[in-house]
């Protein structure tokens, strides 16, 4: 089939088309001729090479070119470091070339007008962004022929990274404006991760906490880091791999955090971002591409992130380390799958075992009642309304224990009267007769009411549960007054 020559395309338009194509699609610069009129682009995710030829070719020279590609196909794959499934030759401003009797994986296309440009270099993301500002041809050329991986990654349109950033921002706006997330208990309510909630069945929190942030500074720092490292990983890995690294790595970070810290509230995308950093480390190890500039820039970026993380207060280093390990492990599995599927399955089994051990350890840890902690803290700070809100919420959710009623009684005593507090403790003692805290609190209350007989009764019960020195000392004081 012969193609008909119609119009001439300006060289600048071709360079602009290539520039935009490498920005919005998965194609990137591969190599070029010395005269810069033979440009090779590669889509590593699909094993697809596009060779754009802007010099004049005859039908005979084109067939010779195809034969040469066929003869050196293995060499091309070795240089690319992967299997090439499709090879497309795009002839610019040329005519009368045939595609009969071509190999199944080699195709010839002609680009002679703007419709051809749209067909061969068009991309949906490019159409969504609208018309771009025109630049000089040399600007397009320098950008296309730039072999620096980091600069190319930053220039790329990265939909998944932008989507993750957008979700984080939207959730932050919603939770901070309408839900007042500056209150710690509301951060927990909106998906923050705590050991207490997790062991009580809120397993979803190991996922939702990745999208919750404490304040604007926390959000901005994480989004800046996500923009840089997310773009790099999206550039180097397939998109489904990116999602696996980000979310599974973030979840592993949260599980390790729960294993070593059963007190803190964990929120933020930094664990998942550390998983992306782990994926970059894996790429450096397995890809064999050790470009000096790429190594230095990547190392500096990681170092800045780690130093900044160390400077900020209340940083969950366990989640960071866990995310880093998770991202490194998962990304390494992707590489090992290419080389040896047997070892991939061993690694997958090992990961399942590790996660299982983490979960077992989490459930074997003594739980820290975070709601009681904040109810007590607010009460001591004089924030009585906040304290009772948490107490009521704790009881409504079924999270109450004997300490909850101790705090509730203290609130009643402070806001109403000691007798009302006493009623709370006596009623709670019916549910928790062996409660050390309730019996001790009743002993203190009756002593304050000068009812030393009942005070001694409850301090004796307390000592029967736990012979602490403070309890024995209190008993002696009570006996002195009787």
């Amino acid at each position: 089939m012969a193609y008909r020559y119609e119009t001439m395309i300006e060289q600048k338009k071709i360079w602009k088309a290539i520039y935009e194509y490498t920005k919005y699609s998965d194609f990137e610069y591969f190599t070029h001729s010395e005269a810069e009129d033979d440009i090779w682009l590669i889509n590593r995710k699909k094993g697809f090479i596009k060779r754009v030829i802007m010099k004049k070719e005859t039908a005979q020279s084109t067939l010779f070119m195809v034969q040469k590609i066929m003869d050196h196909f293995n060499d091309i794959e070795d240089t690319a470091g992967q299997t090439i499934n499709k090879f497309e030759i795009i002839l610019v401003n040329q005519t009368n070339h045939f595609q009969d009797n071509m190999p199944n994986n080699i195709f010839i296309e002609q680009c002679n007008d703007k419709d051809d440009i749209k067909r061969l270099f068009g991309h949906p993301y490019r159409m969504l962004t609208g018309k771009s500002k025109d630049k000089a041809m040399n600007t397009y050329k320098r950008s296309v022929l730039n072999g620096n991986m980091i600069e190319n990654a930053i220039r790329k349109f990265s939909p998944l990274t932008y989507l993750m950033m957008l979700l984080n921002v939207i959730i932050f706006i919603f939770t901070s404006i309408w839900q007042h997330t500056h209150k710690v208990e509301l951060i927990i309510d909106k998906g923050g991760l705590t050991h207490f909630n997790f062991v009580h069945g809120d397993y979803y929190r190991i996922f939702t906490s990745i999208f919750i942030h404490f304040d604007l500074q926390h959000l901005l720092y994480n989004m800046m880091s996500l923009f840089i490292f997310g773009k790099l990983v999206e550039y180097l890995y397939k998109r489904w791999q990116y999602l696996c690294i980000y979310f599974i790595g973030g979840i592993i970070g949260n599980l390790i955090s729960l294993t070593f810290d059963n007190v803190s509230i964990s929120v933020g995308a930094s664990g998942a971002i550390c998983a992306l950093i782990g994926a970059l480390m894996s790429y450096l190890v397995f890809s064999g591409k050790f470009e000096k500039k790429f190594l230095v820039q990547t190392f500096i970026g990681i170092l800045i992130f780690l130093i900044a993380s160390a400077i900020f207060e209340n940083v969950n280093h366990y989640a960071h380390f866990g995310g880093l390990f998770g991202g490194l492990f998962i990304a390494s599995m992707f590489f090992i799958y290419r080389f040896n599927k047997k070892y991939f399955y061993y690694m997958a089994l090992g990961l399942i075992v590790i996660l299982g051990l983490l979960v077992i350890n989490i459930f074997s840890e003594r739980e820290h009642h975070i709601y009681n902690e904040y109810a007590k803290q607010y009460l001591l700070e004089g924030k009585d309304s906040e304290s009772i809100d948490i107490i009521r919420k704790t009881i409504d959710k079924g999270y109450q224990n004997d300490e909850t009623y101790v705090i509730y009684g203290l609130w009643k005593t402070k806001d109403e009267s000691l007798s009302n507090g006493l009623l709370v403790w006596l009623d709670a003692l019916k549910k928790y007769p062996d409660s050390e805290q309730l019996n001790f609190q009743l002993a203190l209350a009756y002593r304050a009411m000068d009812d030393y007989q009942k005070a001694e009764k409850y301090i004796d019960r307390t000592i029967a549960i736990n012979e602490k020195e403070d309890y024995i000392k209190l008993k002696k004081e009570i006996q002195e007054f009787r």
Side-chain angles (χ1 to χ4, degrees):
M1 180 178 68
Y3 289 87
R4 183 169 57 87
Y5 178 82
E6 293 182 356
T7 58
M8 291 286 289
I9 301 175
E10 294 177 17
Q11 200 173 50
K12 178 182 175 180
K13 289 184 178 179
I14 289 296
W15 279 108
K16 181 180 180 180
I18 296 172
Y19 165 83
E20 292 181 343
Y21 196 56
T22 54
K23 178 178 180 178
Y24 292 101
S25 75
D26 289 329
F27 279 87
E28 61 185 83
Y29 164 76
F30 183 37
T31 187
H32 69 281
S33 65
E34 188 175 346
E36 298 179 351
D37 54 6
D38 186 354
I39 314 302
W40 294 49
L41 309 176
I42 186 169
N43 183 332
R44 296 189 178 278
K45 297 172 183 178
K46 293 184 177 179
F48 185 1
I49 287 179
K50 283 195 176 190
R51 184 176 177 182
V52 184
I53 298 176
M54 290 179 265
K55 60 184 178 179
K56 188 68 177 176
E57 296 284 353
T58 64
Q60 186 175 0
S61 65
T62 302
L63 292 174
F64 176 75
M65 181 199 312
V66 172
Q67 186 60 50
K68 191 174 180 181
I69 290 170
M70 292 169 59
D71 293 341
H72 295 276
F73 207 82
N74 290 337
D75 296 332
I76 294 171
E77 289 185 324
D78 289 342
T79 304
Q82 66 178 91
T83 302
I84 301 301
N85 302 312
K86 184 177 179 181
F87 198 109
E88 184 176 271
I89 301 169
I90 299 175
L91 302 171
V92 179
N93 291 330
Q94 300 186 46
T95 184
N96 295 327
H97 295 294
F98 296 87
Q99 194 158 282
D100 298 330
N101 301 319
M102 295 291 292
N104 292 332
N105 60 340
I106 300 178
F107 303 87
I108 296 178
E109 295 283 357
Q110 291 199 351
C111 185
N112 294 327
D113 55 34
K114 63 180 182 180
D115 290 333
D116 288 336
I117 289 178
K118 187 176 180 180
R119 175 173 58 86
L120 297 170
F121 299 106
H123 195 274
Y125 294 144
R126 169 66 187 87
M127 298 172 189
L128 288 173
T129 57
K131 189 175 181 180
S132 61
K133 187 178 179 180
D134 208 21
K135 302 177 183 178
M137 186 178 76
N138 284 336
T139 302
Y140 293 128
K141 187 183 291 188
R142 283 196 304 271
S143 295
V144 170
L145 303 181
N146 180 11
N148 184 275
M149 296 174 68
I150 291 182
E151 292 174 14
N152 287 334
I154 297 299
R155 182 173 69 87
K156 278 276 188 185
F157 184 81
S158 311
L160 282 183
T161 300
Y162 300 150
L163 178 61
M164 292 300 106
M165 293 175 68
L166 181 63
L167 286 174
N168 276 282
V169 171
I170 290 173
I171 291 170
F172 177 78
I173 291 172
F174 175 77
T175 54
S176 60
I177 293 179
W178 286 283
Q179 304 297 331
H180 308 292
T181 54
H182 60 278
K183 289 186 178 180
V184 174
E185 71 276 11
L186 288 177
I187 291 176
I188 299 174
D189 286 347
K190 299 309 165 189
L193 178 66
T194 69
H195 180 273
F196 180 84
N197 291 101
F198 185 80
V199 298
H200 280 79
D202 291 353
Y203 308 125
Y204 65 88
R205 293 176 182 272
I206 61 171
F207 177 79
T208 57
S209 60
I210 296 172
F211 293 96
I212 308 296
H213 290 84
F214 274 116
D215 53 32
L216 184 60
Q217 182 189 46
H218 188 203
L219 176 75
L220 291 177
Y221 173 71
N222 278 347
M223 292 307 97
M224 179 185 68
S225 303
L226 177 57
F227 179 82
I228 296 169
F229 297 115
K231 274 181 158 288
L232 279 170
V233 172
E234 191 168 349
Y235 177 75
L236 298 172
Y237 290 84
K238 294 179 180 179
R239 290 195 172 92
W240 68 268
Q241 293 175 331
Y242 176 104
L243 292 174
C244 287
I245 292 165
Y246 188 83
F247 287 116
I248 299 177
I251 288 170
I252 291 173
N254 280 336
L255 288 175
I256 289 180
S257 173
L258 290 174
T259 300
F260 294 99
D261 184 357
N262 66 343
V263 176
S264 304
I265 303 169
S266 181
V267 293
S270 54
I273 293 167
C274 284
L276 298 178
I277 294 174
L280 289 177
M281 292 178 175
S282 178
Y283 180 85
L284 292 174
V285 172
F286 286 98
S287 69
K289 296 180 180 179
F290 297 102
E291 297 176 9
K292 184 177 179 181
K293 195 172 182 180
F294 176 70
L295 283 170
V296 171
Q297 289 177 330
T298 303
F299 176 76
I300 291 173
I302 294 172
L303 190 63
I304 291 172
F305 175 83
L306 295 176
I307 291 173
S309 297
I311 292 172
F312 285 123
E313 295 181 356
N314 301 319
V315 174
N316 190 342
H317 296 294
Y318 295 119
H320 287 187
F321 171 78
L324 189 72
F325 165 77
L328 180 64
F329 195 93
I330 294 164
S332 298
M333 287 176 64
F334 294 145
F335 283 104
I336 287 172
Y337 183 80
R338 300 181 193 173
F339 309 134
N340 192 317
K341 291 183 175 60
K342 180 180 178 181
Y343 287 113
F344 168 84
Y345 293 119
Y346 285 152
M347 289 185 72
L349 180 62
L351 182 61
I352 292 170
V353 171
I354 290 170
L355 294 178
L357 291 174
L358 288 175
V359 171
I360 291 170
N361 187 76
I362 289 167
F363 278 91
S364 63
E365 284 285 322
R366 182 182 177 184
E367 68 180 42
H368 176 81
H369 203 306
I370 194 134
Y371 292 96
N372 286 347
E373 177 188 334
Y374 282 102
K376 189 190 304 180
Q377 180 181 319
Y378 284 142
L379 193 62
L380 291 172
E381 292 173 355
K383 300 176 181 178
D384 295 358
S385 60
E386 286 89 342
S387 180
I388 191 60
D389 283 346
I390 295 180
I391 292 167
R392 287 170 178 160
K393 192 178 295 181
T394 304
I395 295 171
D396 289 343
K397 290 184 175 183
Y399 292 158
Q400 74 275 10
N401 60 12
D402 57 338
E403 186 185 18
T404 308
Y405 289 105
V406 169
I407 301 167
Y408 188 21
L410 290 171
W411 180 86
K412 281 277 190 180
T413 300
K414 184 178 180 183
D415 271 44
E416 297 176 10
S417 65
L418 177 57
S419 58
N420 285 341
L422 193 68
L423 290 174
V424 171
W425 295 324
L426 287 170
D427 187 56
L429 196 64
K430 297 174 185 177
K431 299 178 183 178
Y432 308 98
D434 297 324
S435 168
E436 176 185 338
Q437 295 187 68
L438 283 170
N439 279 292
F440 180 64
Q441 201 64 47
L442 283 165
L444 291 174
Y446 280 118
R447 186 189 68 167
M449 297 170 69
D450 296 330
D451 190 339
Y452 297 109
Q453 184 178 354
K454 288 184 178 179
E456 186 173 2
K457 170 187 171 183
Y458 286 106
I459 197 62
D460 284 341
R461 288 186 179 182
T462 308
I463 293 170
I465 298 167
N466 187 352
E467 294 184 7
K468 285 176 67 174
E469 187 177 336
D470 290 343
Y471 300 158
I472 296 171
K473 185 178 179 181
L474 178 61
K475 180 177 180 178
K476 289 178 180 178
E477 291 177 7
I478 292 170
Q479 287 175 335
E480 288 176 4
F481 284 100
R482 284 195 67 180

